[in-house]
Amino acid sequence: MSGTSIFVCLDPRRSDWWQLGALPPATGRMMLIGWKKYPEPVDGGVPEDVASLLARAFTSIGRVTFLSSAAHAATGSGWWPLKRAPGPAELTSTTDPQTLMQTFDDAAHPWSMQGQVLLISAPAEAPPEIDRKQLRALLENEWGDAADALSAPGVIGVVRPGVDGDLAGLLTLTADAERASLAAFERVSRVASFDWSVLTEEAFAERYSG
Amino acid sequence: MAGRPPAHVGAVQGHQPIDAGTSALMTTPAPAAAHAQAADARQTIDIPMSGGIPYAVGQASVIRIPIPGTSGLAIELSPRGWTPKTGSTSTLFFQDVTGRRHLRLDYGPNPRTKTIDYHWNQERVFREFGISDHTPAGTAGRAAYQAARYFKYAGRVLVVAGVVVDAISIVQASKPLRRASQVVAGWAAAWAGCKLVGAGGAALATPTTPLGMAAVGVGGCIIGGIAGYAGGSMLAGEVYDWAEGTFFTPLPEAAAP
């Protein structure tokens, strides 16, 4: 058996297992996004084809702003390097899936150690204005509470890596954003010929465990 | 004659009763030989206290101990890159300088066993260790996880204690500059000794498990650090004494031809 499958779970409740903060979140709705490759890779981290699919899905929902240590790299069309003083946190905002691929392989903000956060906002708008305190709060365990204040600056969804970076949690702040996210993941999965399914939490855990 | 009972006087060498006809009598200890006191004082000055051992032991918790033949991997007790306020759930790392390639001993949910356990997480180092992601670490892993966790903090305390003791020894030394040279050279040599012997230990233990490698690497770092500190500090003392005892005699001026 070979291939890649993408599976999601809406409204998960097992806070202790996914390491995505308190579930259900106080604001918005949580969606777990999981993946499985057969045969299973021996190395950890997000497989490249999965990272590519996630990047395409997130950028099709909207503009994605994320922590990046490569903000000084040559800028392409559609994204801006943003530096917010004081502190080392640098944000990059993009609608380009290729640029977003960095998020899964940035040593300074390691996805596999849950050191990354992605903010999704309307594609035609400027990147959301958030301060350093808000950004730091989004990296902590109870990040769902901090997400509450992000609607005002135009954030419609927040993505955090789950346990060991082997899954992602997408917190959508509007019902439209949840529908758009689900449709985007289904579309890109089918285009990539990946197996696609929406599962209950128990079935998700079973599939995640392989 | 009925008088006052004999009192006790003197707190120096026991109490002596005063006889009936004497109003006061005090005995004092015989003075010690002058040369003996001088010898004691000299001993205190010549053998200053040293923070070498706590420093050398503690530094193993903060130094990257290289693993030869692994393209830049090293043993560490802290992650590279961002860590949450509550700290990492991993305590033992074999990682490159960026942290992008790593093997780490982690505690948390393990999809492979469907339990919360001690396991290995790794990225891009399967070739070096032959351990795939989420491999359970067993009871030895549990012991190593806890040992690394406590040593990480205890080691930092030891480093601070060593530095403080060394600083005090400089202040108290009869030749502060000489002692300062010894301390600085000791720290530098302890660092080098740790790297050298730790790397040697890690290389010797390469065919064994990562836990064996970590134990031998950290042990080697401690031994190398202690030896390095002692050697560096002794050498610095010798060099200082040599330099101090060296005088340059100006050449006599000669008339220009």
Side-chain angles (χ1 to χ4, degrees):
Chain A
M1 181 180 172
S2 66
T4 306
S5 58
I6 302 292
F7 40 97
V8 301
C9 164
L10 302 175
D11 220 11
R13 301 296 168 117
R14 293 172 64 177
S15 308
D16 57 332
W17 190 259
W18 310 119
Q19 293 182 351
L20 287 165
L23 295 175
T27 307
R29 292 242 297 168
M30 181 67 78
M31 178 193 298
L32 298 180
I33 304 159
W35 51 86
K36 209 75 190 174
K37 266 184 86 75
Y38 300 99
E40 212 166 316
V42 288
D43 278 319
V46 184
E48 196 170 339
D49 56 348
V50 173
S52 173
L53 179 138
L54 294 175
R56 285 201 304 278
F58 290 137
T59 49
S60 72
I61 301 166
R63 167 173 299 284
V64 184
T65 303
F66 61 100
L67 286 166
S68 170
S69 59
H72 301 298
T75 55
S77 59
W79 68 288
W80 301 277
L82 302 177
K83 192 165 187 176
R84 301 186 186 253
E90 291 183 86
L91 291 172
T92 294
S93 188
T94 186
T95 55
D96 175 20
Q98 199 58 38
T99 303
L100 185 56
M101 289 278 284
Q102 296 168 18
T103 199
F104 303 107
D105 194 28
D106 191 323
H109 310 288
W111 175 271
S112 65
M113 295 181 75
Q114 300 175 274
Q116 186 55 270
V117 60
L118 282 63
L119 306 174
I120 304 176
S121 55
E125 302 293 323
E129 286 292 330
I130 68 162
D131 60 30
R132 186 163 173 256
K133 191 177 165 192
Q134 284 176 302
L135 191 62
R136 290 181 70 135
L138 288 170
L139 288 167
E140 299 304 331
N141 289 340
E142 297 311 316
W143 62 284
D145 300 341
D148 189 28
L150 295 177
S151 295
V155 175
I156 58 173
V158 184
V159 181
R160 282 291 318 271
V163 55
D164 291 338
D166 290 334
L167 72 149
L170 167 58
L171 176 68
T172 49
L173 301 175
T174 65
D176 283 350
E178 187 186 47
R179 277 193 295 275
S181 304
L182 210 51
F185 273 99
E186 181 172 5
R187 188 174 62 252
V188 295
S189 297
R190 296 204 188 287
V191 168
S193 302
F194 288 179
D195 180 40
W196 159 256
S197 45
V198 180
L199 305 172
T200 62
E201 191 167 16
E202 287 67 32
F204 185 97
E206 195 60 37
R207 181 80 67 89
Y208 167 76
S209 299
Chain B
M1 175 177 115
R4 290 183 301 162
H8 288 84
V9 180
V12 181
Q13 285 275 340
H15 302 287
Q16 297 292 325
I18 299 172
D19 62 69
T22 308
S23 59
L25 177 68
M26 182 185 286
T27 60
T28 57
H35 65 88
Q37 278 184 346
D40 287 348
R42 195 163 51 242
Q43 197 174 21
T44 308
I45 292 164
D46 284 352
I47 306 172
M49 59 180 173
S50 165
I53 290 178
Y55 182 86
V57 173
Q59 71 168 356
S61 70
V62 290
I63 282 185
R64 277 175 61 78
I65 303 168
I67 309 170
T70 56
S71 308
L73 296 180
I75 301 165
E76 284 186 281
L77 303 184
S78 298
R80 298 266 149 183
W82 175 91
T83 45
K85 224 165 28 185
T86 49
S88 173
T89 55
S90 303
T91 59
L92 180 60
F93 300 80
F94 304 79
Q95 59 193 348
D96 67 7
V97 75
T98 64
R100 192 172 269 122
R101 292 170 60 230
H102 68 252
L103 174 72
R104 58 190 169 97
L105 185 55
D106 189 47
Y107 178 71
N110 184 351
R112 189 182 287 189
T113 59
K114 298 179 188 176
T115 56
I116 293 175
D117 65 7
Y118 296 89
H119 59 267
W120 293 103
N121 283 133
Q122 64 95 345
E123 278 189 47
R124 302 184 180 99
V125 292
F126 180 77
R127 196 165 56 88
E128 284 81 2
F129 296 100
I131 292 176
S132 58
D133 202 27
H134 297 125
T135 299
T139 47
R142 177 187 182 158
Y145 183 97
Q146 297 297 348
R149 182 181 176 189
Y150 292 117
F151 183 57
K152 176 180 169 178
Y153 297 107
R156 282 159 169 76
V157 172
L158 285 172
V159 167
V160 172
V163 169
V164 168
V165 170
D166 275 342
I168 293 170
S169 77
I170 292 171
V171 173
Q172 290 186 339
S174 60
K175 292 180 179 178
L177 198 58
R178 181 180 190 273
R179 181 66 196 139
S181 308
Q182 285 183 308
V183 165
V184 172
W187 289 347
W191 178 85
C194 162
K195 290 264 185 187
L196 197 69
V197 183
L204 282 177
T206 299
T208 68
T209 65
L211 295 180
M213 186 188 288
V216 179
V218 171
C221 169
I222 291 172
I223 292 167
I226 292 172
Y229 185 96
S233 154
M234 191 178 73
L235 188 66
E238 293 294 325
V239 169
Y240 183 93
D241 291 342
W242 173 80
E244 196 183 40
T246 303
F247 299 96
F248 295 94
T249 308
L251 290 172
E253 285 186 22

